[in-house]
């Protein structure tokens, strides 16, 4: 449903089923923002960020979503997340944050004009 929300704002969105696939997608494509759940199969969001940092590929803003209230926002930001959204999150607040990041990155391309490597 998150993909549909993002597309409803005129942005392209791609999905991954787990942390390992997310890394593969990020390394193969060009993305202006990564939005992922912290708890994913195989590799969690923190592990994905760590792998990307180790590969020097952490140049894209990353929003983490989690229902785990014991994960501290400041720790996740220090890890490399740009922002953290705790579930249940406000849909409009999340989409406004997505819009703001994409606008600042110059990604106002319509869905059919989004580029990938």
């Amino acid at each position: 449903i998150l993909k549909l929300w993002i597309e409803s704002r005129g942005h392209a969105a791609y999905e991954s089923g787990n942390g390992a696939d997310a890394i593969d997608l990020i390394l193969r494509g060009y993305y202006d923002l990564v939005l992922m759940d912290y708890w994913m199969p195989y590799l969690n969001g923190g592990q994905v960020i760590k792998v990307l940092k180790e590969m020097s590929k952490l140049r894209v803003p990353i929003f983490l979503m989690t229902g785990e209230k014991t994960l501290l926002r400041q720790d996740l930001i220090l890890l490399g997340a740009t922002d953290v959204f705790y579930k249940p999150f406000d849909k409009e607040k999340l989409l406004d944050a997505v819009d703001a990041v994409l606008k600042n990155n110059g990604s106002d391309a319509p869905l059919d004009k989004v580029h990938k490597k």
Side-chain angles (χ1 to χ4, degrees), residues 36-85:
M36 65 180 158
D37 196 86
Y38 184 85
W39 294 113
M40 297 182 287
Y42 304 115
L43 297 171
N44 67 40
Q47 292 167 318
V48 169
I49 290 172
K50 183 177 178 185
V51 168
L52 293 173
K53 281 173 88 171
E54 288 171 357
M55 300 176 85
S56 299
K57 298 290 183 181
L58 189 60
R59 295 186 182 99
V60 61
I62 296 177
F63 288 175
L64 284 177
M65 300 173 297
T66 183
E68 183 65 48
K69 303 290 189 209
T70 61
L71 293 171
L72 298 177
R73 171 183 249 85
Q74 64 203 35
D75 293 340
L76 296 172
I77 300 291
L78 285 173
L79 183 65
T82 306
D83 205 347
V84 179
F85 294 86

Side-chain angles (χ1 to χ4, degrees), residues 95-115:
L95 292 176
D96 288 346
V98 167
D99 287 343
V101 166
L102 295 179
K103 185 172 182 85
N104 286 335
N105 285 346
S107 178
D108 288 329
L111 292 175
D112 61 344
K113 300 294 184 198
V114 172
H115 52 282

Side-chain angles (χ1 to χ4, degrees), residues 15-52:
E15 293 178 314
S16 165
N18 60 64
D21 287 347
I23 291 170
D24 185 53
L25 277 173
I26 294 165
L27 294 178
R28 288 189 300 122
Y30 174 83
Y31 299 96
D32 295 308
L33 173 68
V34 172
L35 177 61
M36 65 180 158
D37 196 86
Y38 184 85
W39 294 113
M40 297 182 287
Y42 304 115
L43 297 171
N44 67 40
Q47 292 167 318
V48 169
I49 290 172
K50 183 177 178 185
V51 168
L52 293 173

Side-chain angles (χ1 to χ4, degrees), residues 86-100:
Y86 291 96
K87 298 176 190 175
F89 51 81
D90 180 279
K91 171 187 168 184
E92 291 305 314
K93 190 178 276 190
L94 174 68
L95 292 176
D96 288 346
V98 167
D99 287 343

